[in-house]
Amino acid sequence: MSAEATNPGAPIRRRGRPRIDLRRLGRVALLGPVSRDRLPDAIGHVAEAHRAHHPDADLTVLRRAYVLAESSHRGQMRKSGEPYITHPLAVTLILAELGAETTTLTASLLHDTVEDTEVTLDQVGEQFGDEVRYLVDGVTKLEKVDYGAAAEPETFRKMLVATGDDVRVMSIKLADRLHNMRTLGVMRPEKQARIAKVTRDVLIPLAERLGVQALKTELEDLVFAILHPEEYEHTRAVISAATAAADPLTAIAGNVASVLREAGIPAEVLVRPRHFVSVHRVSIKRGELRGTDFGRLLVLVGEDADCYAVLGELHTCFTPVISEFKDFIAAPKFNLYQSLHTAVVGPEGEVAEVLIRTHRMHKVAEAGVIALGNPYAADSGAQTVEPADGERADPTRPGWLSRLLQWQQSATDPDTFWTTLRADLAQDREITVFRTDGGTLGLPAGASCVDAAYAQYGDAAHSCIGARVNGRLATLGTPLGDGDTVQLLLTEDAASGPSPGWLDHARTPTARIAIAGWLDAHPQDPETVHGSRPADPRPGPQPAPPGSAGPAGRSASALVERSGATVRLAGCCTPVPPDDVTGFTVRGGAVTVHRLACPAVARMEAVGRVPVAVSWGDASECRVTLVAESFGRPRLLADLTEAIAGADAAIISATVEPPSEQRVRHTYTLQLPDAAGLPALMRAMRDVPGVYDVSRAQHPAAVL
């Protein structure tokens, strides 16, 4: 990362400097009087905006890039009738105002040259270096992506991989889309709607995840005006009426500034107006809008500690609305955003929302990854060229994007990747859960313990058997809330794996793709899937019986005379030695072993399935599922667990159904060191006070 991105003393936006106004920037790309036969050297406006963030930047390369872009696009016109050079200039000016570094601005000026002119990538590389060449190539590839309903998922996957390799590629693309949206009025209404929908569904969520709020908010307003013109006009009228009236936030801002001055805390207090979509959302949430609903107070300070000092003063001198407090400094959001959020009650009873952050946090909150500079610039100023394998390790890459790059490699089916991506982008809120080792996990709202397991352990989560949420045992399907502490419990059983039911509770692409991949690699027949989780509709990690291939197939101590066959003990009847058993070949060539008395055997034979001879081998260990029926009472579960442990049986999984008429049903999948000990185990469980029956699991199984 460059010194510009890491130096806390880098220039920041202070009082007196105009705040970012992207709508204005699009109109001033070509300011000043010009003669009819020549284009103005508008690069001066880009240079001025760039120097505001990077006073020592070398502007020579920008001027050379402008000369190449202007000469290459000369004679080309936009549909609006403007010279085409106005587009790359406006895009570059947007990025310059957001604090993009010189390499990004250079690539932005040239981003359409390879696509629309005779300039080649090799020429770009020769004149401006490998970094600029790489960015221009990445943006050129994005221009070829069809985002419509018939979009090629594999092409979009490649686009996101390019974004992950260097987030500056997507930064240029977002600025490009913003300028195009500003000038969309020259197109037919149906084309405006199509472009607006793609912007809403794909590019705005990506801007949110890259933390570029300044681009995201204006894109939202432009899309809102096109897709919902009536609501937009109503919101604009409401905002206009509120602007004409007295602003209660101004008075509260004055009170806050006075309180902080008296406390000796240097701070800048601003009224930050909400954009159109934000006002519209607030109106839907609250109905009638209050005077303070049209904006929020923004308090900017110098150091992180000052943020908490401001919070303390506000909560001391004003009545705080505790439910509105959020600390995104201690636990930053997935898109690098940091700030303290609170709300206080003003002197007249008005509720004002307050954002508290440092100047640097504010810069990152507005510009996201754009504010982080060139992630590949070495300390000496030399630029890192693209490795031979094309892979990069971007230190500024947000965590969600790193996860995306990981799970897209596992999603071999492009349609699966596309569907999962759209679902992931639709998640507009993230929660933070804490691990017991002190780390944190960022998950989408509505995520469960299943998602936490795969987020923390990857494919090792296949062997997860449960969790503790805030210290209490929970199933893997338990939804997690913001701030929960989760401890995932893993088993050493190599044969353990997820059930199809886990997919019902997985919200993250990482979890869904990993579970689906494991299930595809380990096909199971319905008897085994149902029986191995006999009475638990939740995604409890009740592993399937172990199986291994050898000269003769076997599972536990069951043997079949079929070379290489995988053998599974059916969960519908849970056979153990010395039961009389038989087997049937199921999907994938595996053999499922049933007790002869199992109803599934008769159904299999009735449809013409040929039985496979099964015998018990020398192994004494076995796995069995037992169902205990009992009357409800305190400590019943503890006493049953103690009885099982006393019989030297290991609990693989356990399910307790909700009580019904004072009766409770417990289902245990147990590993016994010796099948001969099963009768004694069942007697010990029946001897527990309140237990009136213990039986082997019997579950109906469909014929495959």
Side-chain angles (χ1 to χ4, degrees), residues 598-620:
C598 179
V601 173
R603 291 199 298 274
M604 291 280 196
E605 292 175 339
V607 297
R609 292 292 184 88
V610 179
V612 176
V614 181
S615 61
W616 295 111
D618 297 332
S620 57

Side-chain angles (χ1 to χ4, degrees), residues 254-284:
N255 291 336
V256 169
S258 176
V259 166
L260 297 181
R261 279 196 303 270
E262 292 177 3
I265 303 174
E268 186 176 356
V269 182
L270 305 171
V271 176
R272 184 178 177 84
R274 292 184 184 271
H275 63 292
F276 281 30
V277 171
S278 179
V279 171
H280 179 65
R281 289 171 179 161
V282 172
S283 68
I284 293 175

Side-chain angles (χ1 to χ4, degrees), residues 168-225:
R168 294 175 293 175
V169 172
M170 182 53 71
S171 300
I172 297 173
K173 178 60 183 177
L174 289 171
D176 174 83
R177 175 53 62 97
L178 176 57
H179 184 247
N180 285 334
M181 288 291 295
R182 287 173 176 168
T183 58
L184 210 57
V186 299
M187 296 186 176
R188 299 187 309 274
E190 58 271 18
K191 190 168 185 180
Q192 291 185 36
R194 181 180 67 82
I195 295 175
K197 287 177 181 177
V198 173
T199 303
R200 176 196 63 192
D201 295 342
V202 179
L203 295 177
I204 287 177
L206 284 174
E208 167 75 14
R209 280 156 174 72
L210 292 175
V212 194
Q213 294 296 318
L215 299 184
K216 179 225 175 191
T217 53
E218 189 178 350
L219 284 172
E220 282 185 328
D221 284 350
L222 292 168
V223 168
F224 185 41

Side-chain angles (χ1 to χ4, degrees), residues 412-500:
T412 55
D413 178 16
D415 291 321
T416 300
F417 171 81
W418 174 252
T419 302
T420 309
L421 172 69
R422 293 290 294 271
D424 183 58
L425 291 179
Q427 299 285 346
D428 60 356
R429 192 169 68 86
E430 184 169 274
I431 62 172
T432 299
V433 298
F434 296 90
R435 306 190 322 225
T436 53
D437 61 2
T440 61
L441 297 173
L443 300 169
S448 67
C449 295
V450 171
D451 300 299
Y454 284 95
Q456 181 171 350
Y457 293 111
D459 288 345
H462 293 329
S463 62
C464 196
I465 60 171
R468 291 182 182 273
V469 178
N470 300 325
R472 303 187 65 176
L473 285 173
T475 64
L476 288 182
T478 301
L480 296 171
D482 201 18
D484 282 348
T485 299
V486 60
Q487 177 186 7
L488 288 313
L489 309 176
L490 305 183
T491 178
E492 296 181 359
D493 186 354
S496 294
S499 75

